[in-house]
């Protein structure tokens, strides 16, 4: 081989003697062949692929830029040099003897290469990123290989005159041109037409160099340093990273995988049946029996729920094992690339210790040449550099994989939620589903980050052991044994910590952590070195062995620590996988029973329709056969629980079909019984995603009686409505819900009791203008579920339901003539002709809604009104993306810029919910102090001292080791004295143990302190929130308060102590390392200064950006969950209107906003890491270089110490920044908790003045000139009320919406504090006693019944004060006894979230039963009977009359007849009492009350008494 090459070059190819001299060099032939062909070979293998865009691209070429021209000119010049060289060869050839072949081949190869470069530059114009990575690598390689001929030519020129001037000149010209090209290709080449794209995301056009060093991100870091980042500063995601794109791929793969998994599931089920050995596979179990079995199966898990979330127990089997496969199939490219990077990195990790070994040998060896030392130093630097580039690319890929997995899973969960069947929906609460999004998808994200450790850790461990064996032989096993022993101990501790964490006993958990940290603290190296020295007299520990071994042990430590962590996180992910597979594999809604066939003369036709809520449950509607003609108005009536709402749900396809079908022609609009309001402006709620047609919009608003409301609402139809419509009254919500349906202009309207929550006269108005024969909907088909009798004569057809079946149907007159159930029902209640039209319809000036009328929020105190953030980050919880681009001014300006120039005129109360204060800028130092105060100052001081002690011992250990290794030189050819050896081992061990003890001391103290701190803070927060006034809860979304308790307290509990500890430990580690290097080579202190300045700046820039990105991440994350919660609660409405697509898209855009902030955060971390690792690499380089320079004066031991410490410093530097920024991010939790411990409290619960025992005994109430307002900046709601209510008097309170009826009750409970005047109950001024004393002694049955999830018994008697007999008695009086007796679990029946599994009427009755149990002297009924049918209403009234005969009762009513038998009636108007007398007197007076009564058809008092 070499002979052929020598002939080819005409000179010697290889001669080792060239290297064994101080001025070493390589033979010319070697330089001309190997050093030229290596880069060219690399280039020709990879470059042709770069031409592909030319061949297949249909895209236009992007235009020519200056940079492109420069590149092409340089490449052309390079080609000319090659041509010149070839020409030179031919010229010389003719003059003298033939030249060696190499003079022809090399220039020819170069000509071809430069041609290809020209082509590639042109081909890249088809791509967005016009820079080629392969070219960049080629320039780098070529320049590196060129350095050797470069220096040898220079050296020769300096020694003797130049022999071959033309070639000498050509080489340097060509080298210079290549250098220029290398520099030019570092810049990003952006064509003018891609400028816009680059503005949105510079990553797509960044050059290769800029990509691998994340240089394109620098501008963002600067921006973040100059001002707090906001969401619009952050760059868009790349197209392929958008949620929609990722999810599309996943969905395709998911469908096939789930299909396969379902087939497997069927097989499993068949096997199981065969095993159970049923001859005809279980069909012989009678239907009833199988249902019993089902009931039993259902019961068991429910009981277990408390213990272990019921994951065990007979749950339904589900398709398994498809999720991970699907994810791998979706993200295979990313996985492969990251494997490649990780492999390169892992290989290089083991190069450093070998280089260190060579370096120590070089320093210890007198004979060695200087150039070797410099070579090792440079190689150490290069290895470190390439290692860090690979590692950062690998991390970047892993984290991207993480966020993409999360995004696609959340999208999948969301889509599933939109399509799942109602039975499936019952299986999981909204909370559980949101958990799938937040916890389980997040867990996948965390696992994805470290999934490659599964193969990488074992690989690193094996390689470490192999290399260690080469150093220390079998003695390694001692060190390994220590580690291996620690693994099961650690494993046990981890497992124990897990179980403890489940029980959440924080102290023990901390103690476990302590144990494992101590065990790791005692040095592994001690074991190995001791054994190595003790095994054999001849084994002397020298510097090479010791420090190579130490750096290998350092390498080994990381995978050893990672492996158990990765395994335990895999176990957790496994649980999440199962949960996600169960959820995503469930049945979708089956709407096959809803047909859409055109049938003439029929809009909706039920054909023997039987539907149930669950597949095997009892039918909720049975054999319904109905035909509803187009354009007719059909009323559905029946008692509570007769299946009216079920009939509606069946039409909407929300129920399981048992037999029969329903045919619907045309589009649907649906108004649910409980209105679903989105967190958006009022206008958006009505438009519901349709285009705005101003004329129709105005018409709808007028018809729905919303005009007066708009005048009262602070910003008209631009008023933002809180979550679940918190700042609208029941009636307003219902009307908005109606307006939404009306605006959608559908063919068929399904209205589920929309008139229950509005006043009678408003009801009348709505019926006339919207629903009735003259209303806006007169041409449409309307199906109206109703309790109101008064409208029945005007409908075309009435359907009477009894127990889910149609008992009769026909027109009003027909049914009356039939003398059936309906006729009896009418005769009973017809005389009262529906209480209600309370006022002639012209007076529909619906006054402002009293509940939370105009809401005005001042900007947060800490940031004055001029803070841009106040204007732009409106609020986190459930703001939707549209809000992101809406300034707060009334005119919906879509430009943020404008909003920043002129602070918008904030309309009073336009915005109800305050924006969450996003703290900006640096965290105040006082927060750290506040935390340390909570820990206790002594604790803090001693913890710090413990760490100092630990690191003093650490430095001692290392210096001792260095001295020990120098013994090898001192006792070179003599026996090593035993006592010297034992002394060395003993002191080494003692120092190691003292290190562990100091650590133990510090950690125990810090654990105690952390416990104390979190207890103190939680206590302050809880006691304060429980005392916050009502107005605080109106303006703060619940989610935000819960967040303080969940996330922020968790951070204070667990994250901050860990952060503090790791920060201290990193800080000390860095100081000690730098100390050790400086001890070895004092000049290093000079290098520290510029490096630390650079480090500090990078840190400052990064921390401010990173902190803000973390905040943006959490602020943009809440809308994902809020939007999801909102979607799930309004599912039936969304489906009925057919808006699933729109909500999916909205979810995707909300996701993308969060994704881009997370992505930005990830990149900022990589940006930092690359820069810091560069600092680390420089530290290594300088410590090695200085060691080489001061070779004669140093011992091998101290060099080993300094370089091996330097190799370790990179990671620690990285960690220091990580932990500082993490600490700064987490300390925000202290800030946020502190913010809520400063909320103004309501009055004290108990004061000095206690009311007398048994108060109030009489129940007399006096109002004396009483005034009240909702918040200081708002108008008065009650304008000075004076009246007396006698003992046991029954008083009715009436007045139109917003007259102040509900405010009156709020005042009695002091939910609102007086703005003037007093209320006196039984001679006690209620403002003087504690709130508990007051509230305990009054009872209210509220407008919206409040139930908690738990047993029915717990809901009735939360404090277990009453016996079961008393509870049953109360249920009997509340007419619930039969219902409860029929429940399988009786009083222990579980009430679901907010009482979802009871009908609205039943919930109201439960509240009544609760009041009956308490039997206080004063009872307040607030619209208590609005949601029940007349019959039940009548029963309730009778009960109240008999049971509360000796109590004072205040009734606020819509239905006038409910208060006609009161002793007196109070008529409120705009916060004043206009009439107050007995109903008979008021009827005679012809005032406001008699007008209302006339509307309601009440003429004299007798007609209402039943």
């Amino acid at each position: 081989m070499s002979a052929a090459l020598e002939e080819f070059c005409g000179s010697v190819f290889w001669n080792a003697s060239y290297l064994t001299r101080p001025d070493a060099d390589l033979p010319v032939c070697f330089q001309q062949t190997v050093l030229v062909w290596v880069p060219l070979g690399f280039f020709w293998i990879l470059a042709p692929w770069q031409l592909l865009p030319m061949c297949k691209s249909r895209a236009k070429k992007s235009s020519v830029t200056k940079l492109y021209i420069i590149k092409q000119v340089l490449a052309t010049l390079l080609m000319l040099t090659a041509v010149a060289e070839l020409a030179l060869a031919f010229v010389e050839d003719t003059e003298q003897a033939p030249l060696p072949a190499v003079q022809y081949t090399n220039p020819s190869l170069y000509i071809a290469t430069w041609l290809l470069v020209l082509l590639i530059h042109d081909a890249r114009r088809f791509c967005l990123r016009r820079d080629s990575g392969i070219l960049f690598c080629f320039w780098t390689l070529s320049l590196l290989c060129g350095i050797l001929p470069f220096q040898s030519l220079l050296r020769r020129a300096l020694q003797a005159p130049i022999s071959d001037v033309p070639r000498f000149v050509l080489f340097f010209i060509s080298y210079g041109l290549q250098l220029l090209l290398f520099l030019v290709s570092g810049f990003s080449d952006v064509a003018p037409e891609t400028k816009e794209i680059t503005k949105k995301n510079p990553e797509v056009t960044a050059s290769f160099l800029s990509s691998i060093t994340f240089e394109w991100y620098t501008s963002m870091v600067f921006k973040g340093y100059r001002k707090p980042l906001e969401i619009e500063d952050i760059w868009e995601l790349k197209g392929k990273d958008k949620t929609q794109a990722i999810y599309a791929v996943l969905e395709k793969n998911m469908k096939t995988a789930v299909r396969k998994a379902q087939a497997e599931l069927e097989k499993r089920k068949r096997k199981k049946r065969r095993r159970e050995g049923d001859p005809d596979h279980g069909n012989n179990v009678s239907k009833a029996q199988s249902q019993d079995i089902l009931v039993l199966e259902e019961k068991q898990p429910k009981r277990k729920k408390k213990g272990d979330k019921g994951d065990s127990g007979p749950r339904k089997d589900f398709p398994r094992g498809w999720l991970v496969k699907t994810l791998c199939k979706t993200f295979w490219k990313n996985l492969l690339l990251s494997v490649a990077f990780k492999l390169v990195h892992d290989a290089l990790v083991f190069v450093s210790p070998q280089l260190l070994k060579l370096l120590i040998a070089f320093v210890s060896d007198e004979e060695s040449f200087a150039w070797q030392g410099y070579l090792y130093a440079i190689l150490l630097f290069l290895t470190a550099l390439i290692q860090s580039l690979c590692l950062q690319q690998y991390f970047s890929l892993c984290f991207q994989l993480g966020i993409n997995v999360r995004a696609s899973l959340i999208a999948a969960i969301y889509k599933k939620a939109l399509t799942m069947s109602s039975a499936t929906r019952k299986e999981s609460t909204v909370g559980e589903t949101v958990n799938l999004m937040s916890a389980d998808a997040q867990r996948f994200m965390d696992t994805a980050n470290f999934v490659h450790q599964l193969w990488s850790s074992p690989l690193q461990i094996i390689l470490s052991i192999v290399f260690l064996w080469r150093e220390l032989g079998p003695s390694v096993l001692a060190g390994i044994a220590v580690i291996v022993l620690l693994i099961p101990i650690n494993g046990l501790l981890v497992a124990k910590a897990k179980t403890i964490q489940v029980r959440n006993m924080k102290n023990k958990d901390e103690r476990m952590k302590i144990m494992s940290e101590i065990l790791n603290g005692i040095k592994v190296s001690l074991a190995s070195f001791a054994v190595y020295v003790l095994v054999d007299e001849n084994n002397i520990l020298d510097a090479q062995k010791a420090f190579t071994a130490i750096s290998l042990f350092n390498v080994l430590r990381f995978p050893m620590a990672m492996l158990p962590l990765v395994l335990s996180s895999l176990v957790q992910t496994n649980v999440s996988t199962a949960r996600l597979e169960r959820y995503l594999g469930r049945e979708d809604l089956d709407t096959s029973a809803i047909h859409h066939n055109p049938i003439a003369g029929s809009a909706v036709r039920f054909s023997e329709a039987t539907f149930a809520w669950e597949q095997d449950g009892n039918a909720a509607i049975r054999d319904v056969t109905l035909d509803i003609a187009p354009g007719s108005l059909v009323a559905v009536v029946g008692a509570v629980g007769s299946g009216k709402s079920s009939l509606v749900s069946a039409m909407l396809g929300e129920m399981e079909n048992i037999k029969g079908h329903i045919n619907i022609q045309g589009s649907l609009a649906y108004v649910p019984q409980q209105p679903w309001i989105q967190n958006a402006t009022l206008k958006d709620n009505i438009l519901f995603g349709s285009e705005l047609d101003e004329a129709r919009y105005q018409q709808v608003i007028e018809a729905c009686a919303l005009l007066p409301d708009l005048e009262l609402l602070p910003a008209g139809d631009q008023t933002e409505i809180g979550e679940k419509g918190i700042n609208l009254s029941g009636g307003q919500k219902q009307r908005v819900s109606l307006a939404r349906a009306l605006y959608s202009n559908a063919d068929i309207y399904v209205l589920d009791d929309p008139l229950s929550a509005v006043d009678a006269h408003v009801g009348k108005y709505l019926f006339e203008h919207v629903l009735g024969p003259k209303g806006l909907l007169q041409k449409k088909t309307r199906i109206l579920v109703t309790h109101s009798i008064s409208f029945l004569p005007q409908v075309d057809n009435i359907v009477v339901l009894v127990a889910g079946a149609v008992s009769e149907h026909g027109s009003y007159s027909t049914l009356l003539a039939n003398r059936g159930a309906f006729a009896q029902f009418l005769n009973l209640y017809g005389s009262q002709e529906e209480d209600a039209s309370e006022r002639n319809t012209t007076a529909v000036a619906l006054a402002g809604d009293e509940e939370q009328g105009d809401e005005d929020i001042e900007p947060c105190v800490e940031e004055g009104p001029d803070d841009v953030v106040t204007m732009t980050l409106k609020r986190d919880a459930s703001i939707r993306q549209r809000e992101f681009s809406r300034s707060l001014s009334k005119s919906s300006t879509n430009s943020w810029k404008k909003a920043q120039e002129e602070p918008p005129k904030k309309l009073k109360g336009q915005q109800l919910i305050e924006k969450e204060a996003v703290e900006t800028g640096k965290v105040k130092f006082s927060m750290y102090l506040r935390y340390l105060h909570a820990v206790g100052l002594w604790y803090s001081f001693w913890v710090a001292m413990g760490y100092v002690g630990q690191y003093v011992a650490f430095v001692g250990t290392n210096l001792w080791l260095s001295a020990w290794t120098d013994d090898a030189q001192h006792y070179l050819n003599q026996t090593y004295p035993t006592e010297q050896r034992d002394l060395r081992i003993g002191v080494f061990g003692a120092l190691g143990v003292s290190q562990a003890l100091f650590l133990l001391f510090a950690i125990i103290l810090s654990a105690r302190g952390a416990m104390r701190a979190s207890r103190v803070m939680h206590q302050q927060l809880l006691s304060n929130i429980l005392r916050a006034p009502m107005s605080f809860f109106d303006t703060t979304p619940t989610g935000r308060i819960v967040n303080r308790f969940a996330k922020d307290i968790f951070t204070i509990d667990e994250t901050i102590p860990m952060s503090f500890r790791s920060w201290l430990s990193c800080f000390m580690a860095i100081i000690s390392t730098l100390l050790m290097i400086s001890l070895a080579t004092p000049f290093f202190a000079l290098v520290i200064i510029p490096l630390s300045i650079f480090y500090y700046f990078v840190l400052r820039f990064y921390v401010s950006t990173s902190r803000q990105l973390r905040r943006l991440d959490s602020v943009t994350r809440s809308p994902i969950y809020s939007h999801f919660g909102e979607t799930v609660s309004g599912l039936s409405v969304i489906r009925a209107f057919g808006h699933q697509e729109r909500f999916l898209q909205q979810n995707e855009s909300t996701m993308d906003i969060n994704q881009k902030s997370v992505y930005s955060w990830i990149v900022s971390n990589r940006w930092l890491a690359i820069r810091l690792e560069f600092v680390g690499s420089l530290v290594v380089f300088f410590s090695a270089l200085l060691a080489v320079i001061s070779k004669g004066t140093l011992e091998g031991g101290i060099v080993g110490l300094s370089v091996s410490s330097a190799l370790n410093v990179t990671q620690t530097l990285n960690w220091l920044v990580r932990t500082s920024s993490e600490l700064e991010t987490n300390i925000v939790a202290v800030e946020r908790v502190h913010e809520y411990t400063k909320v103004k409290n309501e009055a004290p619960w108990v004061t000095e003045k206690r009311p007398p025992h048994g108060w109030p005994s009489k129940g007399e109430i006096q109002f004396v000139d009483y005034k009240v307002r909702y918040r200081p900046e708002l108008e008065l709601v009650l304008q000075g009320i004076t009246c007396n209510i006698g003992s046991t008097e029954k008083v009715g309170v009436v007045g139109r919406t917003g007259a102040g009826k509900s405010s009156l009750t709020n005042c009695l409970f002091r939910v609102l504090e007086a703005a003037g005047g007093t209320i006196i109950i039984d001679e006690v001024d209620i403002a003087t006693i504690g709130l508990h004393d007051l509230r305990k002694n009054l009872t209210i049955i509220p407008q919206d019944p409040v139930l908690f999830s738990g047993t029915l018994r717990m809901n009735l008697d939360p404090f277990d004060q009453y016996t079961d007999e008393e509870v049953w008695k109360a249920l009997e009086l509340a007419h619930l006894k039969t219902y409860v007796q029929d429940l399988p679990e009786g009083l222990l029946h579980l009430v679901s979230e907010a009482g979802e599994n009871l009908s609205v009427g039943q919930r109201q009755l439960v509240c009544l039963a609760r009041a009956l149990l308490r039997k206080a002297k004063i009872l307040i009924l607030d619209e208590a009977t609005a949601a029940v049918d007349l019959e039940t209403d009548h029963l309730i009234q009778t009960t109240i009359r008999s049971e509360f005969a000796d109590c004072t009762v205040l009734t606020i009513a819509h239905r006038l007849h409910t208060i006609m038998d009161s002793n007196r009636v109070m008529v409120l108007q705009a916060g004043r009492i206009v009439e107050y007398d007995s109903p008979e007197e008021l009827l005679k007076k012809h005032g406001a009350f008699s007008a209302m009564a006339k509307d309601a058809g009440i003429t004299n008092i007798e007609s209402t008494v039943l």
Side-chain angles (χ1 to χ4, degrees), residues 1220-1250:
S1220 339
S1221 89
E1222 196 176 287
L1223 188 54
E1224 212 171 286
T1225 312
N1226 288 329
I1227 209 85
V1228 172
V1230 177
E1231 197 166 20
R1232 288 163 55 113
V1233 167
H1234 179 67
E1235 179 194 348
Y1236 275 19
T1237 53
K1238 286 279 168 282
V1239 170
K1240 221 167 75 232
N1241 285 352
E1242 57 178 358
W1245 285 342
V1246 178
T1247 55
E1248 259 69 289
K1249 180 171 179 194
R1250 303 293 300 260

Side-chain angles (χ1 to χ4, degrees), residues 460-480:
Q460 282 187 318
I461 291 171
I462 292 165
L463 283 174
S464 305
I465 293 175
V466 169
F467 280 115
L468 275 167
W469 189 282
R470 283 180 44 195
E471 292 305 322
L472 302 179
S475 315
V476 171
L477 297 178
I480 304 290

Side-chain angles (χ1 to χ4, degrees), residues 1075-1254:
L1075 251 173
M1076 286 190 287
I1077 300 179
S1078 305
L1079 281 175
T1081 48
F1083 279 113
F1084 185 71
L1086 294 175
V1087 182
I1088 293 183
I1089 297 164
L1091 285 185
S1092 49
I1093 290 173
F1094 175 71
Y1095 182 78
Y1096 173 79
F1097 274 112
V1098 166
L1099 188 94
R1100 271 272 43 98
F1101 276 116
Y1102 163 78
V1103 171
S1104 48
T1105 305
S1106 158
R1107 190 184 45 230
Q1108 205 52 25
L1109 287 170
R1110 284 295 288 274
R1111 286 178 182 159
L1112 283 176
D1113 167 31
S1114 60
V1115 167
T1116 53
R1117 190 179 296 166
S1118 346
I1120 300 176
Y1121 307 145
S1122 308
H1123 174 63
F1124 180 66
E1126 203 171 72
T1127 307
V1128 175
S1129 54
L1131 210 46
S1132 46
V1133 178
I1134 297 170
R1135 285 182 191 158
F1137 281 91
H1139 278 231
Q1140 291 97 318
E1141 231 1 86
R1142 181 167 73 88
F1143 276 81
L1144 273 176
Q1145 278 163 4
Q1146 192 179 320
N1147 178 53
E1148 276 163 8
S1149 61
T1150 320
M1151 278 292 313
D1152 281 339
I1153 288 179
N1154 178 244
Q1155 286 285 89
K1156 72 178 186 180
S1157 55
V1158 182
Y1159 180 67
S1160 207
W1161 182 69
I1162 290 169
V1163 175
S1164 74
N1165 283 342
R1166 304 281 66 89
W1167 179 90
L1168 170 80
I1170 285 267
R1171 276 145 193 75
L1172 293 192
E1173 290 193 357
F1174 184 66
V1175 173
S1177 309
L1178 284 176
V1179 171
V1180 173
F1181 177 60
F1182 282 116
S1183 65
L1185 190 66
L1186 290 167
V1188 172
I1189 291 172
S1190 46
K1191 175 183 168 193
T1193 59
L1194 289 182
E1195 300 282 355
I1198 199 93
V1199 171
L1201 174 64
S1202 114
V1203 179
S1204 69
S1205 311
L1207 281 174
N1208 227 5
V1209 83
T1210 314
Q1211 267 176 337
T1212 332
L1213 281 176
N1214 235 334
W1215 270 117
L1216 185 65
V1217 172
R1218 249 337 119 61
T1219 48
S1220 339
S1221 89
E1222 196 176 287
L1223 188 54
E1224 212 171 286
T1225 312
N1226 288 329
I1227 209 85
V1228 172
V1230 177
E1231 197 166 20
R1232 288 163 55 113
V1233 167
H1234 179 67
E1235 179 194 348
Y1236 275 19
T1237 53
K1238 286 279 168 282
V1239 170
K1240 221 167 75 232
N1241 285 352
E1242 57 178 358
W1245 285 342
V1246 178
T1247 55
E1248 259 69 289
K1249 180 171 179 194
R1250 303 293 300 260
H1253 187 69

Side-chain angles (χ1 to χ4, degrees), residues 338-352 383-392 394-395 453 455-456 459-460 555 558 1173 1211:
S338 39
V339 166
F341 281 120
K342 186 75 173 137
L343 274 173
V344 175
H345 170 260
D346 286 1
L348 288 176
V349 165
F350 292 100
V351 175
S352 302
T383 336
L385 203 62
I386 295 171
Q387 202 176 314
S388 87
L389 287 175
C390 287
L391 185 64
Q392 296 322 316
Y394 156 76
F395 272 141
Q453 291 297 340
W455 59 265
S456 156
L459 176 77
Q460 282 187 318
V555 168
F558 181 69
E1173 290 193 357
Q1211 267 176 337

Side-chain angles (χ1 to χ4, degrees), residues 568-807:
S568 77
S569 99
L570 270 184
V571 173
Q572 291 179 330
T573 312
N574 219 9
V575 178
S576 293
T577 310
R579 289 177 48 170
L580 284 166
E581 285 178 346
R582 175 181 285 133
Y583 184 80
L584 295 172
R586 283 179 184 163
E587 290 97 62
D588 277 352
L589 196 62
D590 176 21
T591 49
S592 56
I594 310 292
H595 300 183
H596 296 286
N597 307 328
I599 301 177
S602 141
V604 182
R605 175 176 288 176
F606 292 78
S607 310
E608 296 190 349
T610 305
F611 285 83
W613 280 109
E614 280 159 38
Q615 198 64 63
D616 316 306
N618 299 333
I621 63 168
R622 298 193 176 82
D623 299 323
V624 175
T625 304
L626 268 181
D627 206 345
I628 295 173
S632 62
L633 168 56
V634 176
V636 180
V637 295
V640 167
S642 60
K644 302 186 294 294
S645 294
S646 300
L647 187 75
V648 170
S649 299
M651 280 183 62
L652 300 176
E654 298 277 329
M655 291 176 79
E656 299 285 347
N657 172 252
I658 293 177
K659 62 169 204 175
H661 67 266
I662 304 176
N663 190 64
I664 297 177
Q665 279 188 72
S667 56
L668 270 181
Y670 168 55
V671 179
Q673 186 174 3
Q674 287 197 301
W676 172 70
I677 304 290
Q678 278 184 287
N679 175 230
T681 60
L682 190 99
K683 188 171 196 165
D684 290 336
N685 264 298
I686 294 174
L687 296 182
F688 202 54
S690 316
E691 290 295 305
L692 173 64
D693 167 353
E694 194 56 50
R696 184 153 114 254
Y697 176 67
Q698 290 305 335
Q699 193 183 8
V700 166
I701 285 185
E702 194 174 346
C704 292
L706 280 168
L707 279 175
D709 296 282
L710 289 187
E711 284 169 25
L712 285 167
L713 284 171
D717 61 7
Q718 290 302 325
T719 307
E720 181 201 343
I721 296 172
E723 333 180 45
K724 301 190 181 143
I726 189 165
N727 48 337
L728 296 179
S729 69
Q732 285 171 323
K733 282 191 247 187
Q734 198 58 280
R735 296 203 301 277
V736 170
S737 179
L738 185 63
R740 172 197 298 150
L742 191 52
Y743 188 83
S744 72
N745 201 13
D747 305 324
I748 298 170
Y749 281 77
V750 180
L751 310 146
D752 192 350
D753 203 1
L755 303 178
S756 64
V758 296
D759 299 351
H761 70 280
V762 179
K764 197 165 167 187
Y765 178 92
L766 289 176
F767 190 82
E768 283 178 12
H769 288 75
V770 182
L771 310 171
K774 297 196 185 63
L776 273 181
L777 297 179
Q778 52 193 14
K779 303 264 182 356
K780 312 276 189 187
T781 312
R782 290 141 295 166
I783 298 166
L784 173 68
V785 173
T786 184
H787 286 139
S788 300
I789 303 176
S790 52
F791 305 126
L792 294 183
Q794 307 181 46
V795 305
D796 304 326
N797 211 336
I798 299 172
V799 176
V800 185
L801 285 182
V802 176
V806 177
S807 74

